[in-house]
């Protein structure tokens, strides 16, 4: 470990460092929640769904860091699934997440088709990492590992995140609402399988509540 890494580790494991980390991290979560509320008020339920889901993910990563000392996506979902009492509420709302190997395969194909469509649409960017065929290979290897260990929920969550990354890479400043209607209908249907949906307001609000429960847990953890 370098001297800089040692100092960084020491800082974030100090009382002052932990409190500052909590403050900054939770500030981001509350910004996501505010975005969700404002999107609901504007009638943009796709954006509101993404914002509320992002708030939950941010707090889940914070809890994972505090519990396990890492920010691994795979570790986060396993920790939430095993130890968090409200994880079932989260997956009930996020109904595109699956426990089925067949459905997991459908999700994998959906991401591959989305990436292929974007490569054809943006040929000048096809060598960028997000659109590269190398990324298909890497995601395929990840999928095999997760299927082998029967982590189907984890797989569907990570592939949904991959699809969202592709959206961000090619959105060109458009909202998710604008972006989706610009796509061919079969791709819109593919993205629905990856969580690009407009949840009901009550479910969006419940996602925000679930993220706030995790904030409360993280706050208590930092006070130990």
């Amino acid at each position: 470990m370098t001297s800089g890494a040692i100092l960084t580790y020491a800082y974030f494991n100090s009382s002052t460092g932990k409190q500052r980390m909590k403050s900054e991290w939770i500030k981001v979560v509350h910004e996501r929640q505010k975005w969700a509320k404002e999107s609901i008020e504007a009638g943009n339920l796709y954006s509101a769904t993404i914002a509320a889901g992002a708030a939950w993910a941010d707090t889940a990563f914070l809890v994972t860091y505090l519990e396990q000392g890492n920010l691994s996506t795979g570790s986060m979902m396993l920790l939430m699934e095993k130890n968090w009492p409200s994880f079932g509420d989260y997956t009930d709302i996020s109904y595109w997440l699956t426990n089925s190997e067949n459905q997991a395969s459908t999700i994998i194909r959906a991401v591959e088709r989305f990436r292929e469509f974007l490569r054809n649409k943006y040929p000048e960017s096809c060598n960028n990492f997000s659109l590269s065929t190398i990324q298909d290979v890497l995601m395929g290897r990840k999928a095999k590992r997760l299927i082998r260990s029967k982590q189907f929920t984890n797989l569907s969550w990570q592939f949904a995140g991959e699809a969202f990354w592709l959206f961000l890479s090619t959105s060109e400043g458009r909202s998710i609402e604008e972006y989706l209607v610009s796509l061919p209908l079969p791709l819109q249907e593919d993205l629905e399988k990856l969580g690009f949906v407009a949840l009901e307001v009550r479910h969006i609000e419940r996602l925000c509540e679930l993220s706030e429960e995790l904030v409360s847990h993280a706050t208590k953890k930092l006070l130990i």
Side-chain angles (χ1 to χ4, degrees), residues 67 103 134 163 186 211 218:
E67 297 282 354
Q103 185 61 22
I134 294 174
S211 65

Side-chain angles (χ1 to χ4, degrees), residues 9-155:
Y9 179 84
Y11 174 75
F12 280 109
N13 282 275
S14 69
S15 176
T16 301
K18 282 186 176 182
Q19 291 305 317
R20 182 172 180 180
M21 177 183 68
K22 179 202 77 172
S23 176
E24 293 299 318
W25 211 315
I26 292 175
K27 180 181 177 181
V28 171
V29 172
H30 288 159
E31 286 173 353
R32 303 274 195 263
Q33 293 171 349
K34 181 182 178 183
W35 173 28
K37 181 179 178 181
E38 291 173 347
S39 295
I40 290 172
E41 292 171 350
N44 297 328
L45 296 186
Y46 283 96
S47 292
T49 299
I50 288 172
W56 182 88
D58 285 337
T59 44
F61 274 118
L62 175 57
V63 169
T64 303
Y65 177 77
L66 295 173
E67 297 282 354
Q68 298 185 345
N70 68 63
L71 294 172
S72 162
T73 301
S75 295
M76 183 271 276
M77 289 302 287
L78 289 175
L79 178 67
M80 292 294 107
E81 187 170 11
K82 182 178 179 181
N83 294 336
W84 191 246
S86 297
F87 187 73
D89 287 358
Y90 171 73
T91 53
D92 285 345
I93 294 170
S94 308
Y95 59 86
W96 54 91
L97 300 178
T98 181
N99 281 313
S100 159
E101 182 171 353
N102 287 338
Q103 185 61 22
S105 297
T106 299
I107 287 168
I108 294 166
R109 299 288 88 76
V111 172
E112 290 175 346
R113 284 192 293 269
F114 186 32
R115 199 190 317 275
E116 181 64 23
F117 169 82
L118 294 175
R119 273 199 292 263
N120 291 330
K121 185 174 182 180
Y122 302 100
E124 71 283 0
S125 301
C126 65
N127 290 323
N128 292 352
F129 185 65
S130 62
L131 298 185
S132 170
T133 55
I134 294 174
Q135 189 65 2
D136 282 328
V137 173
L138 295 175
M139 293 301 292
R141 291 173 181 171
K142 177 182 287 188
K144 287 179 180 179
R145 292 195 301 270
L146 293 171
I147 289 172
R148 193 160 49 239
S149 58
K150 300 188 184 302
Q151 295 183 48
F152 304 124
T153 301
N154 199 348
L155 182 151

